[in-house]
Structures are given as structure tokens and as C-alpha cells.
Amino acid sequence: MTPPERVLIAGAGPVGLVAAANLVRHGIPVAVFEAGPDLSNESRASTFHPPTLDMLDDLGIAQDLIAQGLKAAKFQYRSRQHGLIAQFDFAGIGDVTRHPFRVQCEQSKLTRILLKKLAKTADFAIAFSSPVHHVDQDSDSVTMTIDREGRTETQSGRWLIGADGARSDVRRSLGVEFEGFTWPERFLVVSTPFDFHRAIPDLVSVNYVADPERWHFLLQIPGLWRIMFPVWSGERDELALSPDFAQSLMAKVAPGISGYEITHTTLYRVHQRVAKTFCAGRVFLVGDAAHINNPLGGMGMNGGIHDAINLTARMVEVWRKTKPVDDFDRYDRQRRLVTKEHVETQSIQNKKDLESANPDFIERLAQIAADPAQTREYLLRVSMISSLKRAEQLG
Ligand SMILES: Cc1cc2nc3c(=O)[nH]c(=O)nc-3n(C[C@H](O)[C@H](O)[C@H](O)COP(=O)(O)OP(=O)(O)OC[C@H]3O[C@@H](n4cnc5c(N)ncnc54)[C@H](O)[C@@H]3O)c2cc1C
């Protein structure tokens, strides 16, 4: 029997739905299978970098996202001891992006915007409460086994995109190793409606604060601020999640302010892992299924969206027979290498800088901020534009 001419996607997170949107835009039918009963509401990534906004603009959804988010053109590095060290402004790279700013907006807003747009398209289908378990393939098609309403069923298509997150069942079914390590400390994210602009002079919406004792990251999203702290391995989960613990950390953020209204706390483990391959025949890994990293620099979801666009642009060409199937090798080569070289290296360096707060780091940042050429190179790197250029150069 001829398999249905469509692309299967496991997972309706931001990366799976961006992949779906780019395929559907080019007239390729897509069927998405999501384990959850609805789109996730979890409070997770909230930063969209300039080139990601350019990609979302090509999909016709950047304006909706910007309308629901907060534009952050500037970001700061501070140290608890020395105050402001350096401020950077994405206006400095306004010639290479249509969006010279970050947008601070919850990833759950993006998935809803995408689903609303996709649902109007005949080429798009989605099934919730449909976890993918197992994957098989032959020379013509890929077939996955799904649990739905207590029954096991199979679904086939030309290719499968595994966008099913860090614990990917697609990756497990393929037997692909997820190489890397887990940090001993966990990260605690505390959300409060308190407006830190009132308490810290000259603060911007994105602020990294270095401190050898306990660094923090202070980030504004519409209606809330989120503050992220490390939680050391000796500090038990029950302690870390207690209101007193959050208040004790928050009391050190702005001088003289304590007793915050806290709306939400999340404690999570942080990993640095990259799948040994992003391609296995007709099956491809994207986003957290392919790589995970610490959130300093906001590169996890952004890198995943870059994977989705890179892969689906190739799928369009191969589908139309304007490129040969071996073009998919480039997806693995480009995206895996830049994930290792850029996302993993940069996120590890960001963490080291914040936790050491040593004079070298402070001097290095001040020097970069004082020199226009170095500032430009730095902005290209942190906005992830350099990683996309590097991927192109890999051919
Ligand atoms: C607490 C937390 C905070 C974070 N903060 C940041 C941040 O500040 N900045 C940043 O860049 N990144 C952050 N991240 C990472 C970021 O959220 C991810 O990089 C991003 O969600 C990746 O998107 P994704 O679509 O690849 O995976 P996910 O968002 O995990 O989506 C995967 C989807 O697949 C579904 N699924 C799972 N298993 C199956 C299956 N077997 N079959 C079908 N569907 C399945 C899931 O239900 C889910 O909907 C954070 C992550 C966590 C956990």
C-alpha cells in the first residue's frame, strides 16, 4: 500500500509547530501527534532572538508575537559588587536583521498563535492525547506507533520529525545517544509582579547579575518579572521550593526591598546534551529532542526553531525534487556542529562568567562595550546570527 504523502511530527511544542508551519506554507501536508491533551501551558522559554523573529516573520506570525510580548532592545551585565558593568543595544546590528531587539514573551503564546493559524489550513492535522511510542521505517516510508484512547494504532508518512522534547521517545526508539552531562546545581525561577524598574535605577528588561556566592538573572515579561537563581546541590528540593527560601534570595535583588508577592516558582534540573546524530534515515530530531542546554543566553528554544527552519526548508526542496535526498546530511552537519560550537559552548561560558564574577570577565565585558567593532561581533554572537552564518558556511 502506498504510504500517505505527508510529513509526521511528534510533539506540538514551539519547535514542532514551527516545523509544521513552514511545511504547510509550502503546500506540504503535515500531521502532528501530541502526547498532552492540549498545548502546554508551562512557564518555560520567554526570549525570542532577532534572527528567530525574522524567521517567524517569514511565517507571518512575528507581529502577533510582538503584540503579546515586550520588546527588549537592550541588555545589561551587572555584578552584585560593582553594579552596572556593561550595557548592549541590538540597534548596533540593525543592518543585518529586521528585528534589532529581543522579544520577551512566553513560549506558550507562540504555540497558540501557530496553532490558530495552522488550524485554518487544509494541509494541517493535529491529534492530542496521542503519544508516539515506537518508530519503524523502510525505503519508502516511516511508521510510528501511537497510543490513543487506550488503543494502539499506527500512522505512516514520508518523513518523521521528532520534536517531542528532551525525553524524546522518537530519539529513544531510534537508539540515538544523548551525550553530555547534568549540572550538580538546579535552577530556581521566581516570578513576581513587582516592577524592578521602580527599585533599581537604569535597569533594562534583561539583566545578568554576576556573583560568586549566588548569581541571578532578572528578566521582564509582560506583567511579571522572572528571577533565576542557582540552587546548590546541598539545598534540598523541599527547602528550595519553600516560600521563605525564595523570599531570602529575592531580598538580595534590590536594596531595601523584601516581602515580595510571588506568583510562581519553578525548580528544574539543567543539562548540556547533544544527540549523537540528528538524522536517522527518514527520521529527524529537532529542538530539545536533539539538544538541551542551560537557559543563560536564551538559546534552547531559539536554536530549536533554527533547526526546524533549516530542516523543513530542505524537506520542501526534496519533496519538490529540486534537491536530492542526501541534502538532509547537511541538516545534521550544520545544526549539530553549530549546536556544539555555539549553543553549548556559549551557554556554558555564560554560566561560568556569572558564577565567577572574576575581574577578567568584568574587564573583558567593559572592553567589548567600549569598542564598536567588538560590540558588533559580540551582538552577532549573542543574537545567534553568527551561528546561522557559520551553519551556512559549512555547506
Ligand atoms: C523550566 C524550564 C525553563 C526553561 N527556560 C528557558 C529559557 O528561559 N530560555 C530558553 O531558550 N529555553 C528555556 N527552556 C528550554 C525551552 O523551554 C525548550 O528549549 C523548548 O521548549 C524546546 O521546544 P521543543 O518544541 O523542542 O520541546 P518542548 O517544548 O518540550 O515540546 C515537546 C512537545 O512534545 C510533546 N511530547 C513529549 N513526548 C511525546 C511523545 N512521545 N509523543 C508525542 N508528543 C510528545 C510534549 O508534550 C510537548 O508538547 C526551559 C525549559 C524548562 C523545562
Side-chain angles (χ1 to χ4, degrees), residues 11 13-15 33-35 44-45 107 131-132 163-164 169 268 287-288 298 300-301:
V15 176
F33 296 86
E34 162 59 43
R44 289 173 67 175
Q107 69 181 58
V132 174
D164 52 342
D169 288 297
Y268 66 100
D288 277 19
M301 177 189 61

Side-chain angles (χ1 to χ4, degrees), residues 10-16 33-36 38 40 42-47 107 130-133 163-170 189 217 226 228 266 268 286-289 291 293 295 297-302 304:
V15 176
F33 296 86
E34 162 59 43
D38 199 348
S40 169
E42 262 190 290
S43 168
R44 289 173 67 175
S46 53
T47 290
Q107 69 181 58
S130 303
V132 174
H133 274 297
D164 52 342
R167 294 196 181 131
S168 171
D169 288 297
V170 172
V189 181
F217 172 43
R226 279 207 189 144
M228 181 192 288
T266 317
Y268 66 100
V286 290
D288 277 19
H291 49 82
N293 55 273
M299 292 180 284
M301 177 189 61
N302 285 273

Side-chain angles (χ1 to χ4, degrees), residues 57 102 124 146 163 166 172 247 263 289 292 298 303 341:
D57 197 28
R102 290 165 61 147
F124 175 76
I146 295 162
R172 185 194 37 74
Q247 290 291 356
T263 50
I292 46 176
E341 266 186 4

Side-chain angles (χ1 to χ4, degrees), residues 144-271:
M144 47 189 207
T145 311
I146 295 162
D147 266 355
R148 192 147 45 164
E149 292 168 359
R151 274 177 310 192
T152 300
E153 63 180 51
T154 57
Q155 295 282 346
S156 301
R158 198 193 279 199
W159 297 302
L160 166 62
I161 301 178
D164 52 342
R167 294 196 181 131
S168 171
D169 288 297
V170 172
R171 189 186 65 233
R172 185 194 37 74
S173 180
L174 295 171
V176 172
E177 265 179 77
F178 207 26
E179 298 172 319
F181 65 92
T182 301
W183 293 101
E185 67 268 47
R186 289 140 296 149
F187 285 10
L188 181 72
V189 181
V190 180
S191 303
T192 176
F194 179 80
D195 185 3
F196 284 94
H197 289 306
R198 285 182 10 225
I200 304 175
D202 307 323
L203 195 72
V204 293
S205 298
V206 180
N207 310 274
Y208 298 90
V209 183
D211 181 17
E213 253 178 58
R214 194 164 333 238
W215 54 264
H216 67 270
F217 172 43
L218 191 58
L219 177 101
Q220 188 180 20
I221 58 171
L224 282 181
W225 283 77
R226 279 207 189 144
I227 306 90
M228 181 192 288
F229 306 92
V231 171
W232 310 124
S233 48
E235 295 168 328
R236 288 171 297 111
D237 283 11
E238 307 85 80
L239 171 77
L241 286 166
S242 69
D244 287 353
F245 186 78
Q247 290 291 356
S248 73
L249 301 188
M250 293 288 283
K252 293 192 180 153
V253 173
I257 313 252
S258 59
Y260 286 90
E261 179 187 343
I262 292 175
T263 50
H264 198 75
T265 52
T266 317
L267 180 68
Y268 66 100
R269 290 220 159 271
V270 189
H271 315 265

